Amino acid sequence: MNAIYLDHAATTPLHPKVIEAMTDEMAQTFGNPSSIHTFGRKAHRNLENVRQLIAASLKVNPHEIIFNSGGTEGDNTAIIETALAKQAQGKHLITTAIEHPAVLKTMQYLETLGFEVTYLPVDEKGTLAVEVVAQALREDTTLVSIMYGNNEIGNLMPIKEIGALLKEHPAVFHTDAVQAFGSEQIFPHELGIDLLSTSAHKINGPKGVGFLYKSDAVSLPAFLHGGEQEEKRRAGTENLAGITGMATAVSLLTDSEKQQRREHYQRYEQLIIKKLNDAQIAYRINGNPDNKLAHILNLQFEGVPSDLLLMHLDLRGIAVSTGSACTAGTVDPSHVLEALYGKDHPAIKESIRISFGLGNDEEQIRYFAEQLIDIIHKLRA
């Protein structure tokens, strides 16, 4: 059996059609989209065609799409610029305790500038109650930033309900949709979302490129200053090859393709669970299995240290993770699992994240489950 990659929540392999599109773009279009000569006009035309394609996938206006370097830049731009622009109206911000570090650390930075941040709790299944959001809202709340789907346990947040709640409040609503964009139907205008950030490398596109959706209803100062690219909203020459690759990845995510992927991933999850049950392996599913992204499965195996399990799987050519790739290589425990269970719960050091994607099939999943069971038996023995 060849090496098996089950860490698609960290990053995804490039789709062959993405590689082809990027190669063609690099070979045929080298002009600067801001130049007014023939080469520049060709590049600009390609850029705007891509913008229309991506906007159509969200049912938004093309000029509401701002190309950038990915999810972290999108989160920073949305949060910092909104907070600074609206600080005269208030300096209270709301987020959750299980956000990606790109949101949490940005909020912590703003706290050093005098902003007050409310970190909303979740229950033991990682569920965020809309009532908790409503209770946290104040007159001086200017921004609510809540992820669409969690990157460690997969939980889907009540975005539609929060959007409806905020229609009666002037706070700007931002969502980090990096994990959800590849599988969920997301239409910001219908959901009441003002700002949405995502990243191409989570949907079989290239690393280092993404976009921020900014509603026309929101005034957002530029985060980067310099040239007048992206309608003066994000300075810097656009990465046209990367953006083209991202657009190709988006174009492959048709409604039927998303549905098919969800069905495949649910089947993979059921296969793993059945294998564990048949082998009488004790485990816990972290998060809410009935309301989550289909491609993420987070499991605790009591008495089995996750770092040891990871190492043994890796030695057998299987890649999974213990949580967010942005904290990989550190000894920091998962802040997501701490939010669910408390800081001293054994699940924090006994859990792994399995995430499915392009290239996985049932044969791989069956082999993975068999190897996982064998390793757990040996480690528990």
Side-chain angles (χ1 to χ4, degrees):
M1 177 67 69
N2 294 327
I4 299 173
Y5 185 72
L6 292 172
D7 196 19
H8 294 263
T11 194
T12 58
L14 285 172
H15 193 286
K17 290 185 178 180
V18 169
I19 297 173
E20 182 182 352
M22 292 180 68
T23 302
D24 289 346
E25 190 67 34
M26 286 186 284
Q28 299 175 19
T29 310
F30 66 88
N32 189 319
S34 297
S35 298
I36 61 173
H37 48 59
T38 302
F39 298 92
R41 291 199 305 274
K42 178 185 177 184
H44 180 76
R45 186 165 56 250
N46 290 359
L47 183 69
E48 295 312 309
N49 287 340
V50 164
R51 197 186 310 276
Q52 289 180 21
L53 185 153
I54 290 176
S57 74
L58 296 170
K59 295 184 179 179
V60 301
N61 300 313
H63 63 264
E64 292 179 307
I65 300 297
I66 304 170
F67 294 125
N68 60 23
S69 65
T72 294
E73 183 185 332
D75 289 343
N76 274 256
T77 303
I79 295 168
I80 294 174
E81 294 309 300
T82 298
L84 295 179
K86 297 177 72 67
Q87 60 184 321
Q89 289 102 311
K91 302 184 77 171
H92 179 237
L93 317 173
I94 294 175
T95 190
T96 76
I98 63 170
E99 297 295 312
H100 189 276
V103 169
L104 290 178
K105 291 188 177 181
T106 303
M107 291 290 186
Q108 291 163 9
Y109 164 70
L110 286 170
E111 286 181 300
T112 69
L113 301 183
F115 288 85
E116 181 185 352
V117 181
T118 296
Y119 298 92
L120 302 177
V122 294
D123 67 16
E124 197 173 81
K125 283 195 170 184
T127 302
L128 173 68
V130 179
E131 295 75 18
V132 172
V133 183
Q135 292 166 8
L137 282 172
R138 305 185 331 205
E139 287 186 9
D140 62 339
T141 304
T142 56
L143 173 69
V144 176
S145 179
I146 296 175
M147 65 188 353
Y148 204 102
N150 186 265
N151 55 299
E152 290 194 29
I153 57 175
N155 277 38
L156 288 164
M157 298 292 107
I159 297 300
K160 182 178 180 179
E161 292 80 0
I162 296 169
L165 173 68
L166 292 176
K167 283 184 179 179
E168 307 303 321
H169 194 283
V172 171
F173 185 24
H174 165 252
T175 186
D176 177 333
V178 168
Q179 282 297 337
F181 182 61
S183 62
E184 303 302 306
Q185 300 285 14
I186 304 176
F187 305 127
H189 289 172
E190 298 175 11
L191 296 170
I193 297 169
D194 298 307
L195 298 163
L196 178 147
S197 43
T198 191
S199 194
H201 78 103
K202 305 291 189 179
I203 59 168
N204 306 114
K207 297 174 181 64
V209 63
F211 67 84
L212 175 68
Y213 155 77
K214 184 198 75 67
S215 167
D216 284 337
V218 174
S219 177
L220 194 69
F223 189 57
L224 298 180
H225 303 276
E228 299 188 357
Q229 292 87 357
E230 298 301 294
E231 298 183 9
K232 303 181 182 180
R233 299 172 301 180
R234 200 270 189 181
T237 302
E238 293 92 348
N239 173 8
L240 186 54
I243 292 169
T244 299
M246 175 171 61
T248 303
V250 170
S251 71
L252 295 170
L253 293 172
T254 61
D255 293 350
S256 60
E257 175 65 20
K258 287 183 178 181
Q259 179 61 30
Q260 189 176 58
R261 290 188 187 190
R262 284 195 295 268
E263 291 172 358
H264 282 157
Y265 304 154
Q266 288 165 356
R267 198 155 58 243
Y268 298 163
E269 179 177 317
Q270 290 164 5
L271 177 55
I272 292 170
I273 297 302
K274 185 179 186 305
K275 286 274 191 182
L276 292 172
N277 289 337
D278 290 347
Q280 298 184 321
I281 296 288
Y283 65 91
R284 174 208 292 258
I285 298 178
N286 296 314
N288 185 351
D290 299 320
N291 183 38
K292 72 176 186 67
L293 298 168
H295 70 287
I296 294 177
L297 175 62
N298 197 303
L299 297 174
Q300 176 199 0
F301 298 101
E302 189 175 349
V304 180
S306 54
D307 54 352
L308 272 180
L309 185 52
L310 218 70
M311 180 184 69
H312 280 276
L313 285 167
D314 190 41
L315 288 172
R316 299 189 188 195
I318 300 168
V320 298
S321 75
T322 55
S324 172
C326 295
T327 56
T330 72
V331 294
D332 295 338
S334 163
H335 69 280
V336 174
L337 297 183
E338 284 187 347
L340 268 62
Y341 305 127
K343 291 189 175 181
D344 298 322
H345 196 283
I348 295 165
K349 294 183 178 180
E350 297 173 347
S351 298
I352 62 170
R353 180 186 69 184
I354 306 153
S355 48
F356 315 114
L358 181 68
N360 294 144
D361 56 34
E362 287 196 21
E363 182 184 0
Q364 286 187 346
I365 302 305
R366 192 172 289 105
Y367 177 79
F368 158 70
E370 291 165 356
Q371 297 304 306
L372 176 65
I373 290 165
D374 182 58
I375 293 168
I376 290 172
H377 277 314
K378 289 179 177 176
L379 291 178
R380 281 180 173 165

